[in-house]
Amino acid sequence: AANEHVPEIERFIRVIKERVRAFFTTYPVQNIPNVMKIHLLQHTVQMLNLTAQPNGVSALHSPSAIVLGTALDVNIHCRIEFGSYCQVHDEPTPTNDVHHPRTLDAIALRPL
């Protein structure tokens, strides 16, 4: 009904805000682009949904495993930390040209 608060949802929103604020305090750059902020919020919610909640619907299965059927895979979801500097391979047409770099500088936003 209108004007009613759900304590569990409010607590989950507070946890998301705490995780995002924790990232901002530890990230070395002060001005973070809006695109990165959006991906940070999506990444935070995804990581929370990939872990089983002890007081949730199931103590064994995560919300993501119940709803979407995807479980946490360390080799996929934890390969690189969010916001890390990385070099990605981008070579649409392979050449032996030494004047063009084979990798691009990038910031990790989401798991592959």
Side-chain angles (χ1 to χ4, degrees), residues 62-84:
S62 67
S64 180
I66 294 170
V67 175
L68 301 174
T70 58
L72 177 65
D73 186 0
V74 178
N75 295 324
I76 295 173
H77 297 103
C78 303
R79 182 181 293 183
I80 188 166
E81 186 177 355
F82 179 87
S84 297

Side-chain angles (χ1 to χ4, degrees), residues 49-67:
N49 284 335
L50 283 171
T51 56
Q53 306 297 326
N55 56 354
V57 176
S58 172
L60 298 176
H61 302 291
S62 67
S64 180
I66 294 170
V67 175

Side-chain angles (χ1 to χ4, degrees), residues 7-25:
E8 294 84 7
I9 302 300
E10 289 183 357
R11 174 68 183 147
F12 190 69
I13 292 171
R14 195 165 51 243
V15 168
I16 293 170
K17 286 181 179 180
E18 289 171 357
R19 301 270 176 110
V20 170
R21 286 185 189 124
F23 176 82
F24 283 141
T25 58

Side-chain angles (χ1 to χ4, degrees), residues 34-45:
N34 288 334
V35 172
M36 192 170 174
K37 291 176 186 177
I38 292 168
H39 281 281
L40 171 63
L41 188 60
Q42 292 172 346
H43 176 75
T44 303
V45 172

